[in-house]
Amino acid sequence: MESLVGVGLVFAGAAIAAALGFSGSAIGMGHAGQAAAGVLGEKPSLFGKMLLMQALPGSQGIYGLVGAFLILNFAGVLGGDGITAIDIGTGWMYFMAGLPIGIAGFFSGMFQGLVAASGISMIAKDESNMGRAIVLSVMVETWAIFGVLISFILLISIG
Amino acid sequence: MAVVEMKKVHFLFHKSDTEKVLTEIQNSSAVEVTGTIVDVDSGTVPMFFPNATLFAEVQKSLHFLISFEENKSLITKLLEGNTEFTSYENVIASLKDISVVKQLTSDILKLQNEEQQLREQIRILSEKQANLKKWSSLDISFADVKTEYTKTLFLEISEQKRRASNNLSLKTILEKQLEDIGEEILFHEVSQGLVAVTFYTADFDIEARLRAIISENAIEQIHLEGEYNHTIAQELQQINILLEETKGLYNALLGKIELFTKENISDLKLTHDALKWQEDRYAALALAGATGAVVSVTAWIKSAWISVITKNFNNSGIPVHIEEITITEDEVPPVEIENNRLIKPFEVITRLYGMPGHKDLDPTLFLAGFFFIFFGLSLTDVGYGMFLMIAALLLLFVFKVPKVIKNFATLLFAMGAASFSIGLLFGGYLGINVAVLPQFLQSLQQFDPIANPLPVFYLALGLGVVQIMFGMVLKIYSDARNNDLINGLLDQGPWLFLFVSVLLWLASSNQLFTAFNEQSFVYMTYMALVLIVVTSGRKGNSVFQKVQYSLLSLYQSIGYFSDILSYSRLLALGLATTALAFAVNLIADIVRDSVPVFGPVFAIVVLIIGHAFTLAVNTLGAFIHSARLQFVEFFGKFITDTGRSFKPLERKEQYVTITDK
């Protein structure tokens, strides 16, 4: 029973890492997409640049996916012999390891989308602002990356 | 393979040669006309576009005819092309006789007016028909609707309103409110919501009460009287006949327009583009300066083209003097990039970001290899790679598509090849388990990202380190080109030294490099850190600032750290492709086993749609993220500025594709 709870916690950690990352990206990309749609109504030729700007907040979903895979792999669920016995304490550790990437991914994805939307306005006024708009947006992503880092450190620390 | 060198020149020529000179410039696509600094003394050169009105008419006519063009299937459009494939001479010839063009547009305008009129007539008749049809069961003559003694109102209530009034019919609603009037008012009920009410004209009181009820209950009065004289049925019959006749005329006209379109639309498209080119030439001329006899056009020109265009003018016998102007310090030339055929497809990615500064390196050559690998790692599937390559070959050799699409098709082929080759190493075969495939394919597999993602994770980070270090080297090179080698070495050198030290330390601690002991590399790392601190401080103006810069310099390591971690997305994207492909196969299996008789057929449909979707979504994701890694993590290392794109005067092909050079 205890091992089932432990495994359940591993799954929960992976699920949180993925789901929060996906959600943050979805919200962020939604914000950016709305701004892009407005610009494209006036300047359809900017589609490629708009698509790129909209894709920037999608990174957090990808990091969530990476995190979920790493959690499942480190726990031996994926790639190992399948589901193995995991005690509750270890299960909680894996669960916690999913939190940095999930929570950071959620909030940074959301806010990166807002910055991307503002960057889209910059590009609409002057296409040469593309580089600056990308850099401003990507600054927010730094914290999601640190979330990946801490999650990874926690995972490799689990004995 | 670089940012093209630009020169600023004056073109000086006689006003009578204006059209020839600008045509030559336009055909070269190598000259961007800019505002002149020559004082305009007096202008006798016509600077306005003489065919502006005609062009507007041609645009309007073309827009009209296009709506009647034969609808081609997608395959036909791809095989025959969506533009007119023709020679340059044919396009120019379409403007030989302006009067012919004017007559053509005049004829089209007549057809357009006729079509609009008939369409409007049909609309009005259809509306009348719809209105009258509602009342068709009412057997009264419109001649009797308003007599000397009686008056009839046609009333309608909306279904929503009627339901809100306890679902009573309109007749009942009216009767209830007018029940004291008795026989002095007649109700002809047509339906639950339609009633004709007849009363004596002299009964002003009844009319007033009726109008009050109409107003309070949001009842609509339909004004049918005045338009008709006979019974509703007779009027409806007449309208039906008239409507059929008008529709007949309209269909005949449509046939005529379609035939006219078939015969004339190709010529009109050629004329459109010829006029567009002329308009662009005159727009450039508007920036020029002129005296009584001489026109001066100031322009940016690709340096290598000065001799070419001079030769072309000489061969054509056009006397033009090209004078080079010194570019001032604060003048920023436009930027254009040129690469060989192998690298050229990757220019799409550079152009997506924007041009580098005019003093920067053209990043296209340097990103090509990395983009190839990153895309391959992100899609990681032999099957999808093959599909992309086949699609690219069709676009390049079978389908008639615009040049822009052909350029992208070459990139698409490279992307497909990347996915194919890296898919072999990763065992990606449309989500099929490698274990069921032939032995020689299994032996090619070097990585299994699902079973063991860590090696792929480290590979992705390793590629990131390589690209970042390469970016630093490029920065040194770029600085050297701008006579700033010392600063380049002092800025990037210590960081490169740090990266190399850490890499050697990692290799040593994992027994991969045992030439020196681990401790030596630790000392190297400390030396690198000291070098970073020391060299960063040189930029400060005061002692305090030098110390401040020195201490803050190490903060940049966090930026490098996050850059490297960003490459972990390559693992995720590759995993996503594999997982989605696997899921599609799983669903197809379930469908095949659970649907009797037609299970295999439905399974094939699931496979086709599922893999098409997976291919589309993952190709887009792989492209976007591979490009984003170039823009954010790579370009930022050596691109210092964003340049203004070079916008030459050129022939923009909207409805035609010129087949000869």
Side-chain angles (χ1 to χ4, degrees), chain B residues 237-267:
Chain B
Q237 194 184 23
Q238 279 188 8
I239 286 172
N240 287 342
I241 293 168
L242 195 55
L243 187 58
E244 283 311 305
E245 278 174 14
T246 312
K247 279 183 177 174
L249 287 172
Y250 185 72
N251 288 335
L253 179 65
L254 283 185
K256 190 177 165 189
I257 293 173
E258 278 165 10
L259 188 62
F260 188 90
T261 303
K262 239 185 202 168
E263 289 168 359
N264 294 287
I265 196 166
S266 297
D267 290 337

PDB file of all heavy atoms in Angstrom, chain B residues 237-267:
ATOM      1  N   GLN B 237     -47.672  35.855 -57.730  1.00  0.00           N
ATOM      2  CA  GLN B 237     -47.451  35.168 -59.008  1.00  0.00           C
ATOM      3  C   GLN B 237     -46.633  36.053 -59.939  1.00  0.00           C
ATOM      4  O   GLN B 237     -45.692  35.585 -60.594  1.00  0.00           O
ATOM      5  CB  GLN B 237     -48.797  34.825 -59.636  1.00  0.00           C
ATOM      6  CG  GLN B 237     -48.678  33.831 -60.790  1.00  0.00           C
ATOM      7  CD  GLN B 237     -50.019  33.589 -61.449  1.00  0.00           C
ATOM      8  OE1 GLN B 237     -50.942  34.404 -61.385  1.00  0.00           O
ATOM      9  NE2 GLN B 237     -50.144  32.466 -62.126  1.00  0.00           N
ATOM     10  N   GLN B 238     -47.008  37.342 -59.989  1.00  0.00           N
ATOM     11  CA  GLN B 238     -46.274  38.285 -60.863  1.00  0.00           C
ATOM     12  C   GLN B 238     -44.824  38.409 -60.423  1.00  0.00           C
ATOM     13  O   GLN B 238     -43.915  38.448 -61.268  1.00  0.00           O
ATOM     14  CB  GLN B 238     -46.940  39.662 -60.822  1.00  0.00           C
ATOM     15  CG  GLN B 238     -48.151  39.752 -61.717  1.00  0.00           C
ATOM     16  CD  GLN B 238     -48.682  41.169 -61.812  1.00  0.00           C
ATOM     17  OE1 GLN B 238     -48.070  42.121 -61.338  1.00  0.00           O
ATOM     18  NE2 GLN B 238     -49.837  41.319 -62.413  1.00  0.00           N
ATOM     19  N   ILE B 239     -44.631  38.489 -59.111  1.00  0.00           N
ATOM     20  CA  ILE B 239     -43.259  38.617 -58.590  1.00  0.00           C
ATOM     21  C   ILE B 239     -42.459  37.376 -58.933  1.00  0.00           C
ATOM     22  O   ILE B 239     -41.293  37.460 -59.332  1.00  0.00           O
ATOM     23  CB  ILE B 239     -43.274  38.867 -57.068  1.00  0.00           C
ATOM     24  CG1 ILE B 239     -43.708  40.309 -56.790  1.00  0.00           C
ATOM     25  CG2 ILE B 239     -41.902  38.613 -56.447  1.00  0.00           C
ATOM     26  CD1 ILE B 239     -43.941  40.607 -55.333  1.00  0.00           C
ATOM     27  N   ASN B 240     -43.089  36.208 -58.790  1.00  0.00           N
ATOM     28  CA  ASN B 240     -42.387  34.966 -59.114  1.00  0.00           C
ATOM     29  C   ASN B 240     -41.931  34.954 -60.565  1.00  0.00           C
ATOM     30  O   ASN B 240     -40.802  34.569 -60.882  1.00  0.00           O
ATOM     31  CB  ASN B 240     -43.294  33.754 -58.846  1.00  0.00           C
ATOM     32  CG  ASN B 240     -43.469  33.496 -57.357  1.00  0.00           C
ATOM     33  OD1 ASN B 240     -42.685  33.975 -56.537  1.00  0.00           O
ATOM     34  ND2 ASN B 240     -44.510  32.767 -56.993  1.00  0.00           N
ATOM     35  N   ILE B 241     -42.813  35.396 -61.444  1.00  0.00           N
ATOM     36  CA  ILE B 241     -42.477  35.408 -62.886  1.00  0.00           C
ATOM     37  C   ILE B 241     -41.314  36.365 -63.125  1.00  0.00           C
ATOM     38  O   ILE B 241     -40.337  36.028 -63.816  1.00  0.00           O
ATOM     39  CB  ILE B 241     -43.711  35.829 -63.730  1.00  0.00           C
ATOM     40  CG1 ILE B 241     -44.787  34.745 -63.644  1.00  0.00           C
ATOM     41  CG2 ILE B 241     -43.313  36.069 -65.191  1.00  0.00           C
ATOM     42  CD1 ILE B 241     -46.130  35.161 -64.193  1.00  0.00           C
ATOM     43  N   LEU B 242     -41.445  37.564 -62.534  1.00  0.00           N
ATOM     44  CA  LEU B 242     -40.398  38.583 -62.732  1.00  0.00           C
ATOM     45  C   LEU B 242     -39.062  38.116 -62.169  1.00  0.00           C
ATOM     46  O   LEU B 242     -37.998  38.322 -62.768  1.00  0.00           O
ATOM     47  CB  LEU B 242     -40.837  39.886 -62.046  1.00  0.00           C
ATOM     48  CG  LEU B 242     -40.078  41.160 -62.423  1.00  0.00           C
ATOM     49  CD1 LEU B 242     -40.116  41.370 -63.926  1.00  0.00           C
ATOM     50  CD2 LEU B 242     -40.683  42.366 -61.717  1.00  0.00           C
ATOM     51  N   LEU B 243     -39.138  37.455 -61.004  1.00  0.00           N
ATOM     52  CA  LEU B 243     -37.910  36.961 -60.359  1.00  0.00           C
ATOM     53  C   LEU B 243     -37.237  35.909 -61.228  1.00  0.00           C
ATOM     54  O   LEU B 243     -36.019  35.921 -61.418  1.00  0.00           O
ATOM     55  CB  LEU B 243     -38.258  36.384 -58.981  1.00  0.00           C
ATOM     56  CG  LEU B 243     -37.090  35.971 -58.080  1.00  0.00           C
ATOM     57  CD1 LEU B 243     -36.164  37.145 -57.840  1.00  0.00           C
ATOM     58  CD2 LEU B 243     -37.624  35.438 -56.742  1.00  0.00           C
ATOM     59  N   GLU B 244     -38.030  35.012 -61.789  1.00  0.00           N
ATOM     60  CA  GLU B 244     -37.464  33.969 -62.658  1.00  0.00           C
ATOM     61  C   GLU B 244     -36.809  34.590 -63.884  1.00  0.00           C
ATOM     62  O   GLU B 244     -35.717  34.173 -64.288  1.00  0.00           O
ATOM     63  CB  GLU B 244     -38.558  32.979 -63.102  1.00  0.00           C
ATOM     64  CG  GLU B 244     -38.966  31.961 -62.036  1.00  0.00           C
ATOM     65  CD  GLU B 244     -37.775  31.270 -61.393  1.00  0.00           C
ATOM     66  OE1 GLU B 244     -36.946  30.686 -62.111  1.00  0.00           O
ATOM     67  OE2 GLU B 244     -37.659  31.344 -60.147  1.00  0.00           O
ATOM     68  N   GLU B 245     -37.480  35.581 -64.458  1.00  0.00           N
ATOM     69  CA  GLU B 245     -36.917  36.262 -65.640  1.00  0.00           C
ATOM     70  C   GLU B 245     -35.593  36.933 -65.292  1.00  0.00           C
ATOM     71  O   GLU B 245     -34.616  36.814 -66.039  1.00  0.00           O
ATOM     72  CB  GLU B 245     -37.901  37.338 -66.139  1.00  0.00           C
ATOM     73  CG  GLU B 245     -39.007  36.795 -67.006  1.00  0.00           C
ATOM     74  CD  GLU B 245     -40.019  37.881 -67.342  1.00  0.00           C
ATOM     75  OE1 GLU B 245     -39.733  39.088 -67.136  1.00  0.00           O
ATOM     76  OE2 GLU B 245     -41.120  37.504 -67.795  1.00  0.00           O
ATOM     77  N   THR B 246     -35.605  37.636 -64.157  1.00  0.00           N
ATOM     78  CA  THR B 246     -34.391  38.363 -63.759  1.00  0.00           C
ATOM     79  C   THR B 246     -33.260  37.385 -63.476  1.00  0.00           C
ATOM     80  O   THR B 246     -32.111  37.619 -63.866  1.00  0.00           O
ATOM     81  CB  THR B 246     -34.658  39.222 -62.508  1.00  0.00           C
ATOM     82  OG1 THR B 246     -35.864  39.956 -62.697  1.00  0.00           O
ATOM     83  CG2 THR B 246     -33.524  40.173 -62.238  1.00  0.00           C
ATOM     84  N   LYS B 247     -33.580  36.279 -62.814  1.00  0.00           N
ATOM     85  CA  LYS B 247     -32.552  35.260 -62.535  1.00  0.00           C
ATOM     86  C   LYS B 247     -32.012  34.687 -63.834  1.00  0.00           C
ATOM     87  O   LYS B 247     -30.820  34.427 -63.965  1.00  0.00           O
ATOM     88  CB  LYS B 247     -33.136  34.133 -61.682  1.00  0.00           C
ATOM     89  CG  LYS B 247     -33.201  34.474 -60.206  1.00  0.00           C
ATOM     90  CD  LYS B 247     -33.709  33.300 -59.387  1.00  0.00           C
ATOM     91  CE  LYS B 247     -33.702  33.650 -57.904  1.00  0.00           C
ATOM     92  NZ  LYS B 247     -34.317  32.606 -57.079  1.00  0.00           N
ATOM     93  N   GLY B 248     -32.889  34.511 -64.790  1.00  0.00           N
ATOM     94  CA  GLY B 248     -32.463  34.019 -66.099  1.00  0.00           C
ATOM     95  C   GLY B 248     -31.471  34.983 -66.745  1.00  0.00           C
ATOM     96  O   GLY B 248     -30.432  34.571 -67.262  1.00  0.00           O
ATOM     97  N   LEU B 249     -31.834  36.285 -66.674  1.00  0.00           N
ATOM     98  CA  LEU B 249     -30.946  37.312 -67.255  1.00  0.00           C
ATOM     99  C   LEU B 249     -29.605  37.319 -66.519  1.00  0.00           C
ATOM    100  O   LEU B 249     -28.539  37.445 -67.128  1.00  0.00           O
ATOM    101  CB  LEU B 249     -31.587  38.703 -67.132  1.00  0.00           C
ATOM    102  CG  LEU B 249     -32.767  38.976 -68.063  1.00  0.00           C
ATOM    103  CD1 LEU B 249     -33.428  40.306 -67.690  1.00  0.00           C
ATOM    104  CD2 LEU B 249     -32.301  39.023 -69.519  1.00  0.00           C
ATOM    105  N   TYR B 250     -29.705  37.174 -65.197  1.00  0.00           N
ATOM    106  CA  TYR B 250     -28.486  37.198 -64.380  1.00  0.00           C
ATOM    107  C   TYR B 250     -27.587  36.015 -64.713  1.00  0.00           C
ATOM    108  O   TYR B 250     -26.376  36.164 -64.874  1.00  0.00           O
ATOM    109  CB  TYR B 250     -28.864  37.195 -62.894  1.00  0.00           C
ATOM    110  CG  TYR B 250     -27.674  37.340 -61.970  1.00  0.00           C
ATOM    111  CD1 TYR B 250     -27.001  38.553 -61.853  1.00  0.00           C
ATOM    112  CD2 TYR B 250     -27.221  36.258 -61.227  1.00  0.00           C
ATOM    113  CE1 TYR B 250     -25.907  38.681 -61.013  1.00  0.00           C
ATOM    114  CE2 TYR B 250     -26.130  36.386 -60.389  1.00  0.00           C
ATOM    115  CZ  TYR B 250     -25.483  37.599 -60.287  1.00  0.00           C
ATOM    116  OH  TYR B 250     -24.393  37.720 -59.452  1.00  0.00           O
ATOM    117  N   ASN B 251     -28.174  34.834 -64.844  1.00  0.00           N
ATOM    118  CA  ASN B 251     -27.371  33.652 -65.180  1.00  0.00           C
ATOM    119  C   ASN B 251     -26.732  33.786 -66.552  1.00  0.00           C
ATOM    120  O   ASN B 251     -25.579  33.388 -66.759  1.00  0.00           O
ATOM    121  CB  ASN B 251     -28.223  32.380 -65.130  1.00  0.00           C
ATOM    122  CG  ASN B 251     -28.568  32.008 -63.695  1.00  0.00           C
ATOM    123  OD1 ASN B 251     -27.851  32.371 -62.766  1.00  0.00           O
ATOM    124  ND2 ASN B 251     -29.686  31.322 -63.508  1.00  0.00           N
ATOM    125  N   ALA B 252     -27.479  34.372 -67.480  1.00  0.00           N
ATOM    126  CA  ALA B 252     -26.919  34.592 -68.820  1.00  0.00           C
ATOM    127  C   ALA B 252     -25.740  35.557 -68.735  1.00  0.00           C
ATOM    128  O   ALA B 252     -24.699  35.349 -69.367  1.00  0.00           O
ATOM    129  CB  ALA B 252     -27.991  35.145 -69.741  1.00  0.00           C
ATOM    130  N   LEU B 253     -25.927  36.603 -67.906  1.00  0.00           N
ATOM    131  CA  LEU B 253     -24.849  37.575 -67.743  1.00  0.00           C
ATOM    132  C   LEU B 253     -23.636  36.927 -67.095  1.00  0.00           C
ATOM    133  O   LEU B 253     -22.490  37.182 -67.487  1.00  0.00           O
ATOM    134  CB  LEU B 253     -25.333  38.759 -66.896  1.00  0.00           C
ATOM    135  CG  LEU B 253     -24.288  39.847 -66.635  1.00  0.00           C
ATOM    136  CD1 LEU B 253     -23.897  40.531 -67.939  1.00  0.00           C
ATOM    137  CD2 LEU B 253     -24.804  40.886 -65.643  1.00  0.00           C
ATOM    138  N   LEU B 254     -23.883  36.056 -66.113  1.00  0.00           N
ATOM    139  CA  LEU B 254     -22.771  35.363 -65.449  1.00  0.00           C
ATOM    140  C   LEU B 254     -21.981  34.543 -66.462  1.00  0.00           C
ATOM    141  O   LEU B 254     -20.751  34.532 -66.452  1.00  0.00           O
ATOM    142  CB  LEU B 254     -23.297  34.432 -64.347  1.00  0.00           C
ATOM    143  CG  LEU B 254     -23.728  35.068 -63.035  1.00  0.00           C
ATOM    144  CD1 LEU B 254     -24.097  33.995 -62.017  1.00  0.00           C
ATOM    145  CD2 LEU B 254     -22.635  35.947 -62.459  1.00  0.00           C
ATOM    146  N   GLY B 255     -22.705  33.853 -67.321  1.00  0.00           N
ATOM    147  CA  GLY B 255     -22.047  33.065 -68.365  1.00  0.00           C
ATOM    148  C   GLY B 255     -21.180  33.948 -69.242  1.00  0.00           C
ATOM    149  O   GLY B 255     -20.049  33.596 -69.583  1.00  0.00           O
ATOM    150  N   LYS B 256     -21.731  35.123 -69.580  1.00  0.00           N
ATOM    151  CA  LYS B 256     -20.996  36.072 -70.430  1.00  0.00           C
ATOM    152  C   LYS B 256     -19.745  36.563 -69.718  1.00  0.00           C
ATOM    153  O   LYS B 256     -18.652  36.640 -70.297  1.00  0.00           O
ATOM    154  CB  LYS B 256     -21.924  37.250 -70.733  1.00  0.00           C
ATOM    155  CG  LYS B 256     -21.428  38.204 -71.793  1.00  0.00           C
ATOM    156  CD  LYS B 256     -22.485  39.279 -72.039  1.00  0.00           C
ATOM    157  CE  LYS B 256     -21.878  40.440 -72.810  1.00  0.00           C
ATOM    158  NZ  LYS B 256     -22.801  41.586 -72.879  1.00  0.00           N
ATOM    159  N   ILE B 257     -19.900  36.863 -68.414  1.00  0.00           N
ATOM    160  CA  ILE B 257     -18.753  37.375 -67.648  1.00  0.00           C
ATOM    161  C   ILE B 257     -17.687  36.287 -67.522  1.00  0.00           C
ATOM    162  O   ILE B 257     -16.488  36.556 -67.643  1.00  0.00           O
ATOM    163  CB  ILE B 257     -19.189  37.858 -66.245  1.00  0.00           C
ATOM    164  CG1 ILE B 257     -20.087  39.089 -66.375  1.00  0.00           C
ATOM    165  CG2 ILE B 257     -17.984  38.191 -65.373  1.00  0.00           C
ATOM    166  CD1 ILE B 257     -20.699  39.541 -65.054  1.00  0.00           C
ATOM    167  N   GLU B 258     -18.118  35.049 -67.289  1.00  0.00           N
ATOM    168  CA  GLU B 258     -17.146  33.959 -67.151  1.00  0.00           C
ATOM    169  C   GLU B 258     -16.357  33.761 -68.438  1.00  0.00           C
ATOM    170  O   GLU B 258     -15.145  33.541 -68.414  1.00  0.00           O
ATOM    171  CB  GLU B 258     -17.863  32.661 -66.762  1.00  0.00           C
ATOM    172  CG  GLU B 258     -18.160  32.582 -65.253  1.00  0.00           C
ATOM    173  CD  GLU B 258     -19.165  31.513 -64.887  1.00  0.00           C
ATOM    174  OE1 GLU B 258     -19.509  30.691 -65.742  1.00  0.00           O
ATOM    175  OE2 GLU B 258     -19.605  31.508 -63.712  1.00  0.00           O
ATOM    176  N   LEU B 259     -17.051  33.856 -69.554  1.00  0.00           N
ATOM    177  CA  LEU B 259     -16.374  33.727 -70.849  1.00  0.00           C
ATOM    178  C   LEU B 259     -15.414  34.887 -71.057  1.00  0.00           C
ATOM    179  O   LEU B 259     -14.268  34.706 -71.497  1.00  0.00           O
ATOM    180  CB  LEU B 259     -17.425  33.708 -71.965  1.00  0.00           C
ATOM    181  CG  LEU B 259     -16.909  33.390 -73.368  1.00  0.00           C
ATOM    182  CD1 LEU B 259     -16.303  31.997 -73.397  1.00  0.00           C
ATOM    183  CD2 LEU B 259     -18.047  33.472 -74.397  1.00  0.00           C
ATOM    184  N   PHE B 260     -15.878  36.074 -70.714  1.00  0.00           N
ATOM    185  CA  PHE B 260     -15.054  37.280 -70.838  1.00  0.00           C
ATOM    186  C   PHE B 260     -13.807  37.145 -69.959  1.00  0.00           C
ATOM    187  O   PHE B 260     -12.698  37.495 -70.370  1.00  0.00           O
ATOM    188  CB  PHE B 260     -15.888  38.495 -70.391  1.00  0.00           C
ATOM    189  CG  PHE B 260     -15.213  39.809 -70.650  1.00  0.00           C
ATOM    190  CD1 PHE B 260     -15.397  40.488 -71.844  1.00  0.00           C
ATOM    191  CD2 PHE B 260     -14.385  40.380 -69.686  1.00  0.00           C
ATOM    192  CE1 PHE B 260     -14.770  41.698 -72.078  1.00  0.00           C
ATOM    193  CE2 PHE B 260     -13.755  41.582 -69.925  1.00  0.00           C
ATOM    194  CZ  PHE B 260     -13.946  42.246 -71.117  1.00  0.00           C
ATOM    195  N   THR B 261     -14.035  36.602 -68.764  1.00  0.00           N
ATOM    196  CA  THR B 261     -12.906  36.429 -67.823  1.00  0.00           C
ATOM    197  C   THR B 261     -11.874  35.483 -68.412  1.00  0.00           C
ATOM    198  O   THR B 261     -10.677  35.751 -68.410  1.00  0.00           O
ATOM    199  CB  THR B 261     -13.413  35.879 -66.479  1.00  0.00           C
ATOM    200  OG1 THR B 261     -14.398  36.766 -65.961  1.00  0.00           O
ATOM    201  CG2 THR B 261     -12.290  35.739 -65.469  1.00  0.00           C
ATOM    202  N   LYS B 262     -12.374  34.373 -68.930  1.00  0.00           N
ATOM    203  CA  LYS B 262     -11.462  33.366 -69.521  1.00  0.00           C
ATOM    204  C   LYS B 262     -10.596  33.981 -70.615  1.00  0.00           C
ATOM    205  O   LYS B 262      -9.416  33.690 -70.745  1.00  0.00           O
ATOM    206  CB  LYS B 262     -12.309  32.247 -70.133  1.00  0.00           C
ATOM    207  CG  LYS B 262     -12.042  30.874 -69.558  1.00  0.00           C
ATOM    208  CD  LYS B 262     -12.832  29.833 -70.319  1.00  0.00           C
ATOM    209  CE  LYS B 262     -12.998  28.600 -69.468  1.00  0.00           C
ATOM    210  NZ  LYS B 262     -13.956  27.661 -69.964  1.00  0.00           N
ATOM    211  N   GLU B 263     -11.217  34.837 -71.413  1.00  0.00           N
ATOM    212  CA  GLU B 263     -10.501  35.404 -72.572  1.00  0.00           C
ATOM    213  C   GLU B 263      -9.552  36.518 -72.190  1.00  0.00           C
ATOM    214  O   GLU B 263      -8.562  36.754 -72.876  1.00  0.00           O
ATOM    215  CB  GLU B 263     -11.518  35.946 -73.582  1.00  0.00           C
ATOM    216  CG  GLU B 263     -12.302  34.854 -74.308  1.00  0.00           C
ATOM    217  CD  GLU B 263     -13.491  35.407 -75.076  1.00  0.00           C
ATOM    218  OE1 GLU B 263     -13.725  36.636 -75.036  1.00  0.00           O
ATOM    219  OE2 GLU B 263     -14.205  34.618 -75.700  1.00  0.00           O
ATOM    220  N   ASN B 264      -9.859  37.236 -71.116  1.00  0.00           N
ATOM    221  CA  ASN B 264      -9.118  38.486 -70.864  1.00  0.00           C
ATOM    222  C   ASN B 264      -8.333  38.560 -69.569  1.00  0.00           C
ATOM    223  O   ASN B 264      -7.512  39.463 -69.415  1.00  0.00           O
ATOM    224  CB  ASN B 264     -10.103  39.674 -70.876  1.00  0.00           C
ATOM    225  CG  ASN B 264     -10.704  39.879 -72.243  1.00  0.00           C
ATOM    226  OD1 ASN B 264     -10.041  40.340 -73.165  1.00  0.00           O
ATOM    227  ND2 ASN B 264     -11.972  39.528 -72.388  1.00  0.00           N
ATOM    228  N   ILE B 265      -8.592  37.636 -68.640  1.00  0.00           N
ATOM    229  CA  ILE B 265      -7.988  37.831 -67.324  1.00  0.00           C
ATOM    230  C   ILE B 265      -6.460  37.706 -67.350  1.00  0.00           C
ATOM    231  O   ILE B 265      -5.752  38.410 -66.633  1.00  0.00           O
ATOM    232  CB  ILE B 265      -8.609  36.892 -66.258  1.00  0.00           C
ATOM    233  CG1 ILE B 265      -8.245  37.405 -64.857  1.00  0.00           C
ATOM    234  CG2 ILE B 265      -8.177  35.432 -66.440  1.00  0.00           C
ATOM    235  CD1 ILE B 265      -9.029  36.811 -63.742  1.00  0.00           C
ATOM    236  N   SER B 266      -5.961  36.810 -68.198  1.00  0.00           N
ATOM    237  CA  SER B 266      -4.500  36.639 -68.256  1.00  0.00           C
ATOM    238  C   SER B 266      -3.828  37.944 -68.679  1.00  0.00           C
ATOM    239  O   SER B 266      -2.857  38.384 -68.061  1.00  0.00           O
ATOM    240  CB  SER B 266      -4.118  35.540 -69.233  1.00  0.00           C
ATOM    241  OG  SER B 266      -4.628  34.323 -68.808  1.00  0.00           O
ATOM    242  N   ASP B 267      -4.383  38.558 -69.743  1.00  0.00           N
ATOM    243  CA  ASP B 267      -3.803  39.834 -70.236  1.00  0.00           C
ATOM    244  C   ASP B 267      -3.913  40.911 -69.173  1.00  0.00           C
ATOM    245  O   ASP B 267      -2.996  41.725 -68.988  1.00  0.00           O
ATOM    246  CB  ASP B 267      -4.541  40.292 -71.496  1.00  0.00           C
ATOM    247  CG  ASP B 267      -4.230  39.398 -72.685  1.00  0.00           C
ATOM    248  OD1 ASP B 267      -3.156  38.744 -72.645  1.00  0.00           O
ATOM    249  OD2 ASP B 267      -5.049  39.341 -73.619  1.00  0.00           O
TER     250      ASP B 267
END
